[in-house]
Amino acid sequence: MASSDRFLLRLISNRGESTDWPVHCQITFREILEIISNVLPGVTTTAFEYEDEDGDRITVRSDEELKAMIDYHMLNTDSLIKPVQIYPKACRTPRKRNLHGLKVNTKALPVAITELKPKSSKNMYDKISAPPGSLRTILASGQVSHEELQYIEILGHGIGGTVYKCYHTASEKIMAVKVIQLDLTPEVQKQILLELNILFKCESPYIIGFFGAFFLENLISICTEFMDGGSLEIYGAIPEPVLGRISVTVVKGLVYLWQLKIMHRDVKPSNILVNTRGQIKLCDFGVSTQLVNSIATTYVGTNAYMAPERVLGGEYSVRSDVWSLGISVLEMALGRFPYCRENSDSKVFLPIELMQCIVNESPPSLPVEKFSPDFVSFVGTCMQKSIKSRPTPQELMDHPFIVLNNDENVEIVSMWVCRKLEEIRGRSVNVDSPNQCEPMVH
Ligand code: ATP
Ligand code: MG
């Protein structure tokens, strides 16, 4: 220890490499996870371990457990000179989260994927110790239970979660099931399921359909409508007429949610889904405060689409969603993330650099020579740094770009999705074969 209120944290990777980091005794658990993600770029983690005097490993996964670790080391006179060694519990290697890999070290992929299994293998929980039946019944909301789900393939990974394409035997429906590992008490689990119940009331063509959610041990599964075009992050640069319809849908989706007093809180291309029928729908909105908080405290991530006031720690407002819409549409128009480094070998930002750009720089804009004046103005209107000048979703409905594209023309979107999917699938044929896969309780 350098002084009585600071100590040296020694992070030891599973390959035995160590990095020292001076920290304050008041450091929080979350801050340590952030340090781990900065120091060990290949590792995402939700917990770490330290050794007690007998060499036994003790796991830390909360502020209380961290405090116990610090107290233990403070009492130990040796630790006044020796660093406190911690061993991050590695999950899997992070994956790129948007077109340009801007989100670094944010991926925790706690759901282990088992080996390929034959199609007839129905139930993912067969080979794990089954939880008590009562738990299954109590901790479920909606009509979907895990026994009725067959896992077909992985659709994608997000912060802490994996989305599976599933077949629901009872309804004979294909569903998208998002599975997130969260270590929560049954009380908190129940609260989350209660909060998610409001999704049954959400009936809008612009919002993803919800079928139910359940906890099985430490995994929550959220079952929603499957969109065969996936999310917009895979499509690269999107033409203006299609983006016009996408913008209208997102604005209408936000207006609808706001009528239910729900703010989205995570508008970005990967949370806007499309299908070959030309429908566009918003997903992953923050309907359950408890779920949002649980994910935020368990998984460390950087949100590149965050409005400046959010970066600065200000209150979330429905106008913050409008900023996120603006930057998402701008990214999808340009085919690249709008903030980029001009004078550096690496085009990839560190999260802190990106946050500084969002707060300090003028907002990026569409090049006027390539896009219509209405579109340029729309993006500029959404991306006003001053929250007071930024409109609400309802006010955006009167913007000329929205008025022009508000024709519910699904054909234009449908044709574009089908053409792009053919291109994408043509490119990946022989490379990707669908995975038969199953999530496992840890
Ligand atoms: P974050 O965790 O920050 O929200 P994300 O949105 O990229 O990041 P997920 O929400 O876990 O991560 O989604 C991962 C991917 O799964 C999406 O990018 C999308 O391709 C796919 N996906 C999600 N929901 C559906 C759905 N209902 N239908 C089809 N594909 C989906
Ligand atoms: Mg998502």
Side-chain angles (χ1 to χ4, degrees), residues 19 67 80 96 102 169 196 257 259 328 330 343 368 395:
T19 311
K67 187 168 179 310
L80 290 171
K96 286 189 174 181
L102 260 167
T169 48
L196 286 176
L257 288 176
Q259 283 166 4
S328 300
L330 180 53
N343 307 313
V368 288
E395 287 161 359

Side-chain angles (χ1 to χ4, degrees), residues 4-71:
S4 59
D5 63 347
R6 294 182 75 79
F7 63 97
L8 204 57
L9 203 60
R10 176 163 294 169
L11 287 93
I12 305 194
S13 74
N14 56 3
R15 283 184 293 176
E17 295 147 355
S18 66
T19 311
D20 289 349
W21 197 283
V23 294
H24 204 272
C25 283
Q26 269 74 50
I27 190 161
T28 63
F29 173 66
R30 205 179 155 154
E31 284 164 346
I32 293 195
L33 292 188
E34 269 171 34
I35 293 172
I36 294 171
S37 73
N38 280 317
V39 170
L40 305 173
V43 174
T44 48
T45 182
T46 57
F48 56 85
E49 294 174 331
Y50 66 99
E51 277 177 0
D52 68 10
E53 56 201 337
D54 299 317
D56 290 329
R57 293 266 179 107
I58 299 168
T59 303
V60 176
R61 57 177 96 224
S62 66
D63 281 324
E64 286 73 23
E65 290 172 346
L66 173 66
K67 187 168 179 310
M69 178 189 97
I70 294 173
D71 289 347

Side-chain angles (χ1 to χ4, degrees), residues 129-424:
S129 58
S134 58
L135 185 72
R136 290 181 196 168
T137 330
I138 296 165
L139 296 177
S141 84
Q143 298 306 307
V144 188
S145 76
H146 69 273
E147 287 94 352
E148 299 161 349
L149 289 176
Q150 292 178 353
Y151 291 75
I152 302 170
E153 64 175 306
I154 291 179
L155 295 170
H157 301 278
I159 285 193
T162 299
V163 181
Y164 298 84
K165 180 176 175 181
C166 291
Y167 176 67
H168 182 236
T169 48
S171 64
E172 303 189 338
K173 257 189 199 322
I174 293 288
M175 293 181 182
V177 179
K178 183 165 186 165
V179 182
I180 309 171
Q181 183 185 327
L182 291 170
D183 295 319
L184 304 170
T185 61
E187 286 67 37
V188 178
Q189 292 186 350
K190 272 183 229 167
Q191 195 187 333
I192 289 175
L193 293 176
L194 271 176
E195 288 178 346
L196 286 176
N197 274 343
I198 194 175
L199 290 174
F200 288 114
K201 290 199 196 131
C202 282
E203 260 199 61
S204 155
Y206 317 114
I207 303 293
I208 200 77
F210 175 68
F211 299 124
F214 58 86
F215 269 96
L216 187 62
E217 294 193 355
N218 60 352
L219 297 181
I220 182 170
S221 295
I222 302 168
C223 309
T224 59
E225 176 184 3
F226 168 68
M227 297 288 278
D228 63 358
S231 67
L232 291 177
E233 69 173 347
I234 60 165
Y235 287 90
I238 301 176
E240 181 173 330
V242 177
L243 271 179
R245 275 68 188 193
I246 292 170
S247 305
V248 170
T249 303
V250 177
V251 172
K252 286 184 171 176
L254 293 178
V255 168
Y256 177 83
L257 288 176
W258 191 229
Q259 283 166 4
L260 299 174
K261 290 285 162 274
I262 299 170
M263 290 182 273
H264 191 295
R265 295 170 189 268
D266 202 11
V267 174
K268 56 183 175 181
S270 71
N271 286 340
I272 307 170
L273 302 167
V274 286
N275 65 20
T276 45
R277 291 159 64 195
Q279 294 174 312
I280 305 163
K281 304 195 181 197
L282 282 173
C283 68
D284 287 348
F285 37 95
V287 63
S288 159
T289 317
Q290 190 59 256
L291 182 61
V292 171
N293 291 344
S294 303
I295 292 174
T297 46
T298 311
Y299 301 103
V300 181
T302 311
N303 185 348
Y305 304 87
M306 213 189 258
E309 67 275 7
R310 290 289 302 128
V311 174
L312 292 169
E315 275 289 289
Y316 203 93
S317 127
V318 72
R319 294 170 204 260
S320 313
D321 282 340
V322 169
W323 168 280
S324 307
L325 163 63
I327 185 167
S328 300
V329 172
L330 180 53
E331 170 176 333
M332 293 186 281
L334 300 175
R336 63 167 179 81
F337 191 73
Y339 289 95
C340 69
R341 284 170 148 188
E342 299 297 336
N343 307 313
S344 167
D345 292 343
S346 167
K347 292 266 178 246
V348 180
F349 276 108
L350 289 171
I352 185 74
E353 291 175 317
L354 176 61
M355 297 300 131
Q356 281 164 353
C357 286
I358 294 171
V359 172
N360 299 328
E361 286 183 10
S362 305
S365 55
L366 278 174
V368 288
E369 65 286 1
K370 290 196 184 144
F371 297 94
S372 72
D374 282 346
F375 191 18
V376 175
S377 148
F378 176 72
V379 169
T381 305
C382 294
M383 292 192 70
Q384 295 180 80
K385 280 170 77 178
S386 155
I387 188 162
K388 289 194 191 116
S389 327
R390 213 180 302 143
T392 61
Q394 184 62 59
E395 287 161 359
L396 273 182
M397 286 302 297
D398 297 327
H399 191 282
F401 183 65
I402 297 299
V403 173
L404 176 75
N405 286 286
N406 190 6
D407 58 3
E408 304 279 338
N409 185 338
V410 285
E411 283 78 30
I412 194 168
V413 180
S414 165
M415 275 161 50
W416 170 78
V417 171
C418 293
R419 187 166 48 78
K420 291 301 285 184
L421 284 181
E422 267 172 34
E423 268 175 47
I424 293 167

